[in-house]
Amino acid sequence: MEIKTDDYTIWRDAESATVHIQGILRLSGMKEYDPIMEFMLEALGGAEQFTLNLQGLEFLNSSGISMLTMFVIKVRQQGNVKLQIQGSETTLWQTKSLKNLKRLMPSLSLEFA
């Protein structure tokens, strides 16, 4: 499973139940993020543990952050998933925005490298 454009790449590592997102995501509006949301939900499937690796994601606009927020809410609603988000401590938007997701899902594990 992979989504690849000139600006970003999204792929799934099924063995580790991890979705990696790299590049620059600045799609116009929530509707354009629907395929990415669907990709992540399909990758999540019925997994009990899931990792979203954003360490290579240089930029995410507000619609993308909203999509990420909705994904965390959907994972929380499943009730039994251990979600880990891996970010980069050198990418400013990640250090500010990803911490807010923990308010939505206190069990969320954030890891910055």
Side-chain angles (χ1 to χ4, degrees):
M1 284 174 79
E2 181 179 77
I3 299 174
K4 188 170 185 165
T5 72
D6 290 341
D7 293 329
Y8 62 88
T9 303
I10 303 169
W11 77 96
R12 172 185 176 200
D13 179 352
E15 282 188 31
S16 64
T18 301
V19 167
H20 301 265
I21 304 177
Q22 291 185 334
I24 297 171
L25 264 173
R26 53 178 161 215
L27 304 177
S28 298
M30 290 294 297
K31 194 72 175 166
E32 289 194 20
Y33 279 95
D34 283 351
I36 296 171
M37 173 68 93
E38 290 172 16
F39 181 94
M40 293 193 306
L41 290 173
E42 186 178 328
L44 173 64
E48 294 179 3
Q49 187 164 351
F50 185 80
T51 301
L52 188 58
N53 185 332
L54 304 176
Q55 292 173 339
L57 186 59
E58 300 169 36
F59 180 81
L60 184 67
N61 66 6
S62 60
S63 295
I65 292 171
S66 294
M67 180 268 311
L68 198 55
T69 299
M70 291 177 62
F71 176 74
V72 169
I73 291 170
K74 287 180 184 279
V75 171
R76 182 186 70 194
Q77 289 172 339
Q78 291 192 9
N80 60 344
V81 180
K82 293 180 181 175
L83 177 62
Q84 179 182 53
I85 297 180
Q86 298 172 334
S88 170
E89 63 188 6
T90 60
T91 306
L92 186 60
W93 77 264
Q94 291 187 14
T95 57
K96 289 187 173 187
S97 298
L98 295 181
K99 290 177 183 173
N100 290 332
L101 298 175
K102 211 157 166 57
R103 293 181 189 161
L104 299 170
M105 186 176 179
S107 64
L108 170 69
S109 171
L110 286 175
E111 180 181 299
F112 291 96

